[in-house]
Amino acid sequence: MRTQRMSVSALAVLATFTLASCGTESGSGAGSGDSGDGSGTVRTEPKVTGVRWNVSSLTVGGKKTSAPDGAHVEIDSEGKATGSLGCNRFSADVRLDGDKVTVGRGTTTRMACAKEVQGFENAMGKAFHGELKAAEAGQGKAKALTLTTAHGDSIALTAEPPAPLTGTAWKVTGLVSGSVASSLPAGTEGKAHLTFGEDGSVEGNLGCNSFHGKATVSGSTLTFGPLASTRKICPGAEMRLERALLGVLEGETSYEIDHRSLSIEAKGGKGLDASAPAAED
């Protein structure tokens, strides 16, 4: 399976991740119990590590913007943040101290993205750096985290569990050819989807026609049997998407799930990317 695809293969230093720092969550002293101000008040620190945080929205200068699908942040106990800004992936050094999250120098891929996504990435890169104050709320699937900058801008994040292969309505979000990933043909976004059943079945829509068939799972391999579909004639873009998907959902393929993202790759390098819907509370 592919592990990283980039339209432009170079990694570059993300200009806005400028504060070099590293570290782990504090586990002793004032940050782990006493507030440190002599009052004896116990301070509850937000649990930010070991959680896949989906970016819900970004508020800059009082203007709130919804995040693109796939934008997320994960922070490990070794002081490293990784994730996606919505199109490009990033990593950065992080220092955790009580409710303070200090984001330092990082790197990002440099894929070409849609204009609106690129705008969000630029704003997210500026907000997710330096010293941020973390505030946690809710529990379980409703668990949320807000990171606020010294200027009052904020990043809203929510915790989501990983999605299983079966029983999930996977929405096709992109096509792959070798090491190159591309967006869906214009006008077909949100039309193609597939769901795998516990009984080895698969059904969904190819962008134009609905389909059903068999899909056998063995380890990281998905083997598709012949697919039966309706026979509608649709506009050109939808038919191009359908032909591309039929070229992937055929015979033996490999698949990989990364939290709530699914990638399927057929022999020859043709593939698709899909995402799971947001988990319900």
Side-chain angles (χ1 to χ4, degrees):
M1 283 297 295
R2 58 191 179 274
T3 57
Q4 179 72 44
R5 294 187 298 270
M6 294 181 285
S7 298
V8 178
S9 60
L11 282 175
V13 174
L14 183 61
T16 55
F17 289 172
T18 56
L19 181 60
S21 59
C22 61
T24 60
E25 282 184 298
S26 56
S28 61
S32 60
D34 193 289
S35 66
D37 59 6
S39 66
T41 302
V42 175
R43 182 175 67 189
T44 302
E45 298 178 0
K47 173 64 175 177
V48 301
T49 61
V51 179
R52 160 83 173 227
W53 296 104
N54 283 352
V55 182
S56 300
S57 62
L58 177 66
T59 301
V60 177
K63 181 180 179 181
K64 182 178 179 180
T65 304
S66 296
D69 290 344
H72 68 277
V73 176
E74 294 180 82
I75 301 175
D76 66 24
S77 60
E78 301 302 317
K80 181 67 70 174
T82 58
S84 170
L85 297 169
C87 173
N88 285 284
R89 296 191 62 83
F90 75 89
S91 65
D93 294 330
V94 171
R95 180 177 177 81
L96 305 174
D97 181 13
D99 62 354
K100 295 179 181 179
V101 179
T102 304
V103 183
R105 187 176 301 278
T107 60
T108 178
T109 58
R110 292 294 189 186
M111 292 192 294
C113 310
K115 183 177 180 180
E116 62 274 13
V117 175
Q118 189 62 63
F120 180 90
E121 291 203 344
N122 292 341
M124 177 73 178
K126 292 177 180 178
F128 191 65
H129 96 102
E131 187 176 292
L132 308 171
K133 184 174 182 179
E136 187 180 27
Q139 296 180 351
K141 294 179 181 178
K143 189 175 181 180
L145 180 71
T146 302
L147 300 176
T148 305
T149 71
H151 301 291
D153 298 333
S154 62
I155 305 168
L157 308 104
T158 55
E160 279 195 313
L165 176 66
T166 58
T168 300
W170 295 102
K171 180 179 71 174
V172 178
T173 56
L175 299 173
V176 179
S177 180
S179 62
V180 179
S182 62
S183 56
L184 301 180
T188 67
E189 298 86 351
K191 294 186 176 182
H193 57 86
L194 61 161
T195 302
F196 298 92
E198 293 283 357
D199 59 354
S201 64
V202 61
E203 62 181 13
N205 191 284
L206 297 165
C208 172
N209 287 285
S210 58
F211 75 94
H212 66 274
K214 292 291 184 180
T216 304
V217 182
S218 178
S220 61
T221 299
L222 267 172
T223 302
F224 291 90
L227 302 180
S229 68
T230 56
R231 296 186 177 277
K232 294 188 297 182
I233 301 298
C234 301
E238 294 177 9
M239 295 307 295
R240 289 197 301 275
L241 173 59
E242 182 162 310
R243 286 192 293 270
L245 294 180
L246 285 173
V248 176
L249 307 178
E250 180 180 21
E252 186 176 298
T253 68
S254 56
Y255 81 96
E256 183 178 32
I257 294 177
D258 179 10
H259 196 70
R260 303 187 73 82
S261 297
L262 168 69
S263 59
I264 299 176
E265 184 176 314
K267 292 180 179 178
K270 298 293 184 181
L272 66 83
D273 289 328
S275 64
E280 296 181 358
D281 294 342

